[in-house]
Amino acid sequence: MVTPDYYDKFRCIGGECVHNCCRGGWEIEVDDEAISRFGEIEGEFGERVRASISDENIFIHRDGCCPLLSSDGWCEMALRGHELCVVCDEYPRFTESWEGYSERGISLSCEAADEIILNNTDKVRLIGRGGECSHPIFTFIYSAREKIFAILQNRDMDIFKRMRLALDYACELQDRINENNYAHFEYEPQDCFSGHESLEYFINFISGLENLYPAWKDMLARVAEHEKDKPRHIVDSIKGEQLAVYFVYRYLLKAAFDCEVLDKMKLAVLSSMTIIALENTLGDLSECARMYSIEIEHDEDNIEAIYDEFLFGEELSFDNVINMID
C-alpha cells in the first residue's frame, strides 16, 4: 500500500478533539458485516447498539451526536473492545484503487489529520508498494503526477507560481490524453498568468451546493464579499504547498477512470485557493481546511457538481482559473 510519509503519524485524539466526528450529524452507514456482528453483542449494551441503528442501517443521532459516543468523547464500542463498522474504523483514512494498485491517505476533514498535514515542514514523499496497474492511461498519469509533485515542491518559487505551472502542465497533459497518446511526455510548463482575477465566482458557486453546517454558508458569504475587491492572497508557502500536494495526491489519479486530468488539477488548485481565501478573510487555516473538506470533499454530489461546472461553464476555463491563482 502506498501512503504519504506522514500517514502513520495519525492517531485519533478522541475526547481531546474539538470537532469530534461522532458529533455534527454525519450520516454513518453501517455495513452488513458489522450489522451481523452487532447482532451478537450480548446484554443491555447489545440491545442499545441495535436500537441505535435505523431500518436503513444508519446510526440514529441524538442531539447531533452518535448514540454510542461516551461522555468523555470516545466511542463506547471501542472502549468495550468491539470491532467498529467499516466507516468508523477507517475514518479519516481513505483508500483509492486502480486494478491491482492502491493508495491510502488521511483527510483534511479530521482536525488531528489536518494538523499533521498542514504542520508538516518536509516535502511529502510517497512510501510503500501499491501493487501494479498496467493500463496505459494510469501509468501515463502516474508518471506525470511525479512531475507535478516536483513542480509544487520547488521551494525556489512562489507557491502561487508553482500552482500555475502545475495547472499549465496538466493542460498539456490533457491534450495528450485527448489524442490517446500515452508515449513519453516531456514538457516544461509556462506561467500563463495575465492578470489577477477574483475567486468570487467559484466561492459563490460552491455556496450554492449542498451543505452540512449552516456556518459554512456564512463563511463563504463573508469571503465572497471580500473577494469583490479582488484581493491578492497570502499564505505561508509551505502550508500552501502541503494543501496543493494533498489535493493532487487525493484526486489526480482519478483521471485514469474518466480521462479528465485537467479537471482534477483545477479542483486541486481551486480547493487550495479557496481555503487560502477563507483564511485570509476569517483566519485559522486549519479550521478553514477542515470545513472545506467536510462540506466539499465528503459530498460526492458536490464534487460532481464542480466537475460539471468545469465541463459546461465558461467562468472556470483554464485561462480564468490560472488568473485566480495569485
Side-chain angles (χ1 to χ4, degrees), residues 87-283:
V87 173
C88 294
D89 187 52
E90 286 291 296
Y91 182 79
R93 304 165 190 87
F94 61 85
T95 304
E96 296 289 346
S97 298
W98 298 262
E99 293 181 0
Y101 178 85
S102 296
E103 292 184 343
R104 302 196 84 190
I106 53 176
S107 172
L108 281 171
S109 59
C110 165
E111 70 179 65
D114 186 87
E115 291 296 316
I116 291 169
I117 294 167
L118 292 178
N119 290 332
N120 181 22
T121 58
D122 296 326
K123 295 179 181 180
V124 174
R125 297 179 299 110
L126 301 186
I127 60 175
R129 295 180 60 84
E132 295 183 3
C133 177
S134 59
H135 197 286
I137 190 172
F138 174 85
T139 56
F140 184 66
I141 297 173
Y142 182 91
S143 177
R145 190 179 67 170
E146 293 299 308
K147 173 67 174 180
I148 290 173
F149 283 151
I151 293 169
L152 292 173
Q153 293 178 327
N154 181 354
R155 296 180 178 178
D156 292 332
M157 290 187 290
D158 168 78
I159 182 56
F160 298 130
K161 181 174 182 178
R162 290 183 247 168
M163 285 194 273
R164 293 194 298 264
L165 290 174
L167 186 61
D168 182 63
Y169 185 85
C171 187
E172 290 295 316
L173 195 67
Q174 186 67 61
D175 288 343
R176 288 285 295 273
I177 292 172
N178 292 344
E179 297 166 357
N180 291 319
N181 181 358
Y182 304 134
H184 182 66
F185 181 63
E186 288 286 347
Y187 173 69
E188 285 304 315
Q190 306 298 311
D191 188 352
C192 302
F193 181 79
S194 61
H196 177 71
E197 293 289 341
S198 170
L199 283 163
E200 183 183 4
Y201 179 84
F202 183 69
I203 289 169
N204 282 330
F205 176 77
I206 63 174
S207 181
L209 301 179
E210 297 175 355
N211 72 290
L212 183 62
Y213 298 113
W216 176 240
K217 295 273 191 180
D218 296 336
M219 291 170 68
L220 292 177
R222 291 177 62 185
V223 176
E225 185 65 27
H226 189 226
E227 284 291 318
K228 288 180 179 179
D229 295 331
K230 294 188 175 183
R232 295 294 179 91
H233 302 100
I234 57 173
V235 68
D236 177 275
S237 61
I238 295 179
K239 292 184 187 297
E241 172 190 311
Q242 304 297 12
L243 279 174
V245 168
Y246 164 84
F247 284 111
V248 167
Y249 177 68
R250 183 154 192 181
Y251 292 102
L252 198 79
L253 277 186
K254 290 177 183 284
F257 296 124
D258 63 10
C259 302
E260 298 294 342
V261 72
L262 180 57
D263 285 356
K264 307 302 180 291
M265 195 66 221
K266 283 183 181 179
L267 178 65
V269 296
L270 283 173
S271 296
S272 301
M273 289 304 303
T274 298
I275 292 168
I276 291 167
L278 283 161
E279 189 273 339
N280 285 181
T281 303
L282 306 172

Side-chain angles (χ1 to χ4, degrees), residues 283-315:
D284 196 341
L285 185 69
S286 293
E287 175 61 6
C288 293
R290 188 188 70 85
M291 284 292 288
Y292 180 92
S293 183
I294 287 172
E295 297 288 358
I296 302 301
E297 289 197 286
H298 284 272
D299 190 323
E300 284 296 326
D301 289 339
N302 285 348
I303 293 291
E304 288 304 314
I306 293 171
Y307 287 149
D308 285 345
E309 184 65 15
F310 292 157
L311 180 62
F312 299 111
E314 297 180 359
E315 295 291 336

